[in-house]
Amino acid sequence: MLRFAAAVYQGTCYSFAMSTSDHTKRILILGGGTAGWMAANLMIKAWGGRGFEITLVESPDIGIIGVGEGSTPMLKTFMSSIGLEERDWMPACNATYKLGIRFDNWSTMPGFPRYFHPFPAQLDDLTSPPFFENSMARRNGLDVEGHPDHFFLNTYMAQQKLSPFAGENFPFTTLYGYHFDSGLLGEFLGDLARKRGVKHLQAKITDATQDDSGNVTALIDDGGRTLEADYFIDCTGFRSKLLQETLGVPFLPFADNLFNDAAVVFATPRPVEVAPQTVSTALKNGWAWTIPLTSRIGNGYVYSSAYTSADAAERELRAFAGIGDDVHVDARHLNMKVGRVAEHWKGNVLAVGLSQGFIEPLEATALLLVQLTIQGFIKALDQGNFGDSRRDVFNDDISARFDAVRDYIVAHYVVNSRTDSNYWQDNANNNKVSQSLFDVISTWTSGKDLTEELKRQNIEHFYPTMSWHCLLAGYGIYPAKAGLQTRDAELHQGKLAEIHEFIRRCSLNYAPHMEVLKAQADGMAA
Ligand SMILES: Cc1cc2nc3c(=O)[nH]c(=O)nc-3n(C[C@H](O)[C@H](O)[C@H](O)COP(=O)(O)OP(=O)(O)OC[C@H]3O[C@@H](n4cnc5c(N)ncnc54)[C@H](O)[C@@H]3O)c2cc1C
């Protein structure tokens, strides 16, 4: 690649559009992390052969952040939209399936030491109404089962280590995400994009030139060479070289609400069998993820540097993962810049990935926001919508998504009931939450209809009512058990038993997780 880069850098000014006509649009993606390569793939798929030239420039000296191993179900639509089947990419990225996230030790409420946030399944249509009814009844003082784990197929399937795949005679869909090695995913997407025609250059960009209107006209690398383009996609990670540094777009931190600003990460060996779930365990000053890949377990502790040091955090994560202080692990310490930019798209620059913002990875939403940002931009460009008003609509939409994810994450912290550290107590006492989140929690605690409240706020398309119910019920945010009234206990028990049996019988149709992964790996070897 270095030789290729050297070959194309023969003059002092290299224009990407070697066969540029008036109609050729030159897109320059700056940054070759997951965001950059996702952008490259979506853009070449959408625009390849249609008069666009797409070039990705990255600096191996700077490198990528190299974390980010969990996804939402949207990654499946990303892969499909660039024409990939799971067998094409999953074995190459040591990927496993993910039916949801288990939250351990976030609540001290009796009976609620953990809960599962499942991705939706079609059969939830049958089991979520009784859950919503029960949680409403319990919030209003009736002693009925209100723990979400009793009501969802994906929760049970994750416990049983089942895959999301049923035989043909059971045609009900279930949504799922993935776990993957982020370094391998980046390499995979890079190879694919190059094969499909994306140009790839290695250069460290030090400067940018702008025209009178403020649009970026070219990037300048540390050798003084100039790289011109029409549109620039800033995928430079937390640096945000173009959007924040060059165009000066303000960054709006979420630190008032999200205290975590650092992480320590290392891998441990994988057990024989892994469940299709991320486990997120609350520790003393943050939380730890446990993410199963086919090759290893990814461990990370996301914490607040205002409450603990990097050394203490690493020791705590080691103890949690069962790794003695004398055992060598390649621990990486990272700082996190949490918040979002005021505008994601300004002039002819679009920021994607960490350069546009980041919310701690509790619900693994970063790549979802990457995907939605790129797809929205492609759509706008295809429609020729480059006016200020279109950009405003785009920016408002992406910002609303960031804020909605932030609020859902913040909810985990403000409803926690731990008292074992200042960190957890300060989180529980945080009174700077948004009005939207305040109204959601008040609706819940006052026993009113949460689904109606989400609709009233028009936020149910960000996190659905099922997710909010699982979170608030999963933490045991209910009146004290001693004060609850017992009525029709046998009837409720009977209904619950029926739901359990229904879920159990449905689950018999699904193949074991490890069997599906093995078949994929064998397919690759064949
Ligand atoms: C602790 C942690 C855990 C995370 N977990 C998850 C998760 O579970 N799920 C999820 O979806 N996301 C997660 N994320 C987010 C995820 O890691 C990122 O969204 C993703 O990796 C995309 O990063 P990026 O491409 O924006 O930036 P980076 O990976 O940092 O890439 C930046 C690129 O820009 C290039 N560059 C920068 N400056 C220059 C320059 N001047 N000249 C040339 N090139 C330059 C670099 O060389 C690099 O190629 C996590 C993040 C952190 C910090």
Side-chain angles (χ1 to χ4, degrees):
M1 185 40 59
L2 278 172
R3 250 185 310 155
F4 170 69
V8 293
Y9 279 141
Q10 282 166 355
T12 51
C13 175
Y14 169 64
S15 165
F16 296 109
M18 300 211 239
S19 58
T20 307
S21 72
D22 285 349
H23 303 293
T24 302
K25 298 239 182 328
R26 298 163 302 172
I27 309 271
L28 194 159
I29 300 166
L30 181 59
T34 316
W37 286 118
M38 281 177 76
N41 275 288
L42 285 171
M43 288 178 176
I44 197 79
K45 187 75 188 168
W47 293 329
R50 287 180 48 203
F52 282 78
E53 274 204 353
I54 298 163
T55 302
L56 185 144
V57 181
E58 57 150 342
S59 162
D61 292 348
I62 294 175
I64 62 168
I65 190 147
V67 283
E69 301 185 327
S71 86
T72 67
M74 276 296 281
L75 195 65
K76 185 170 166 60
T77 59
F78 165 77
M79 293 296 179
S80 305
S81 66
I82 60 169
L84 291 181
E85 303 281 343
E86 286 166 359
R87 62 172 179 270
D88 300 330
W89 72 272
M90 281 185 70
C93 300
N94 297 336
T96 66
Y97 291 98
K98 172 178 172 186
L99 297 178
I101 306 175
R102 201 181 79 196
F103 290 86
D104 286 8
N105 300 343
W106 288 72
S107 169
T108 58
M109 297 294 185
F112 295 87
R114 62 170 56 164
Y115 79 95
F116 194 77
H117 178 196
F119 292 132
Q122 212 173 356
L123 290 165
D124 296 349
D125 287 350
L126 298 174
T127 58
S128 54
F131 168 52
F132 298 157
E133 280 161 25
N134 271 23
S135 64
M136 172 77 108
R138 185 151 172 171
R139 286 188 281 134
N140 285 287
L142 206 59
D143 188 4
V144 293
E145 183 54 67
H147 197 300
D149 285 6
H150 295 283
F151 296 91
F152 293 99
L153 178 62
N154 270 348
T155 305
Y156 185 76
M157 301 233 297
Q159 288 164 3
Q160 302 300 313
K161 300 191 177 77
L162 295 172
S163 75
F165 302 107
E168 277 175 12
N169 58 345
F170 198 76
F172 300 101
T173 52
T174 180
L175 292 188
Y176 57 87
Y178 308 98
H179 306 112
F180 46 83
D181 180 315
S182 68
L184 294 179
L185 181 65
E187 283 170 28
F188 183 90
L189 293 177
D191 287 346
L192 187 70
R194 282 186 291 267
K195 271 188 214 140
R196 290 179 173 180
V198 172
K199 292 183 179 157
H200 179 197
L201 307 177
Q202 292 183 326
K204 186 171 180 183
I205 300 303
T206 51
D207 223 335
T209 54
Q210 291 171 264
D211 64 18
D212 292 344
S213 65
N215 276 348
V216 172
T217 48
L219 306 185
I220 300 167
D221 79 0
D222 55 0
R225 287 164 296 203
T226 304
L227 311 175
E228 294 175 347
D230 301 305
Y231 305 110
F232 294 84
I233 314 299
D234 182 349
C235 299
T236 55
F238 287 132
R239 284 173 183 77
S240 198
K241 179 87 187 148
L242 302 181
L243 194 84
Q244 291 180 52
E245 199 181 301
T246 306
L247 299 191
V249 171
F251 182 78
L252 312 175
F254 292 160
D256 274 357
N257 277 299
L258 291 172
F259 302 170
N260 295 338
D261 59 358
V264 53
V265 182
F266 57 72
T268 49
R270 160 173 94 71
V272 178
E273 266 199 292
V274 294
Q277 64 185 7
T278 298
V279 179
S280 151
T281 308
L283 299 183
K284 201 167 162 211
N285 294 295
W287 60 275
W289 75 70
T290 309
I291 290 189
L293 307 188
T294 57
S295 53
R296 60 174 164 80
I297 297 289
N299 308 276
Y301 182 11
V302 175
Y303 62 91
S304 167
S305 63
Y307 291 82
T308 190
S309 67
D311 281 353
E314 184 176 330
R315 277 199 303 278
E316 203 183 338
L317 183 63
R318 277 172 170 275
F320 170 71
I323 305 293
D325 285 348
D326 51 337
V327 178
H328 174 76
V329 287
D330 275 327
R332 292 181 57 213
H333 289 265
L334 302 161
N335 294 321
M336 306 186 313
K337 188 172 154 191
V338 176
R340 66 164 168 83
V341 289
E343 293 168 281
H344 308 264
W345 173 10
K346 184 172 166 106
N348 64 344
V349 174
L350 174 76
V352 182
L354 299 175
S355 63
Q356 73 183 132
F358 177 60
I359 299 165
E360 64 170 69
L362 191 59
E363 295 280 346
T365 40
L367 297 186
L368 160 79
L369 293 165
V370 164
Q371 185 179 344
L372 293 172
T373 302
I374 305 162
Q375 285 171 336
F377 179 76
I378 290 174
K379 195 170 161 200
L381 199 56
D382 270 346
Q383 291 171 344
N385 284 330
F386 261 77
D388 286 347
S389 61
R390 173 59 217 171
R391 267 197 297 269
D392 289 347
V393 171
F394 174 91
N395 283 324
D396 290 349
D397 178 53
I398 302 292
S399 293
R401 285 174 193 279
F402 264 85
D403 295 352
V405 172
R406 177 203 59 203
D407 282 353
Y408 190 72
I409 304 292
V410 172
H412 291 78
Y413 291 98
V414 291
V415 301
N416 97 83
S417 47
R418 290 176 65 123
T419 52
D420 57 321
S421 67
N422 290 339
Y423 170 88
W424 288 108
Q425 291 179 30
D426 290 351
N427 267 298
N429 294 330
N430 174 16
N431 57 11
K432 295 189 176 147
V433 301
S434 70
Q435 187 64 43
S436 163
L437 178 56
F438 180 84
D439 290 346
V440 167
I441 295 175
S442 306
T443 300
W444 178 269
T445 51
S446 59
K448 295 191 187 132
D449 189 332
L450 185 62
T451 306
E452 283 304 313
E453 175 59 18
L454 299 175
K455 278 192 196 143
R456 184 190 72 77
Q457 292 195 34
N458 193 20
I459 54 172
E460 79 282 12
H461 52 289
F462 296 128
Y463 274 98
T465 191
M466 182 268 253
S467 293
W468 281 104
H469 273 83
C470 282
L471 192 165
L472 295 163
Y475 275 76
I477 311 300
Y478 287 120
K481 178 102 174 151
L484 297 178
Q485 293 173 21
T486 312
R487 222 170 38 224
D488 300 330
E490 273 182 26
L491 183 67
H492 287 298
Q493 277 314 108
K495 277 191 186 163
L496 196 63
E498 271 177 35
I499 292 168
H500 282 173
E501 183 54 11
F502 172 73
I503 288 175
R504 190 192 67 79
R505 288 171 74 97
C506 289
S507 76
L508 298 177
N509 293 286
Y510 290 84
H513 186 218
M514 296 311 290
E515 263 180 31
V516 171
L517 295 177
K518 184 168 178 320
Q520 258 179 7
D522 290 349
M524 191 173 78

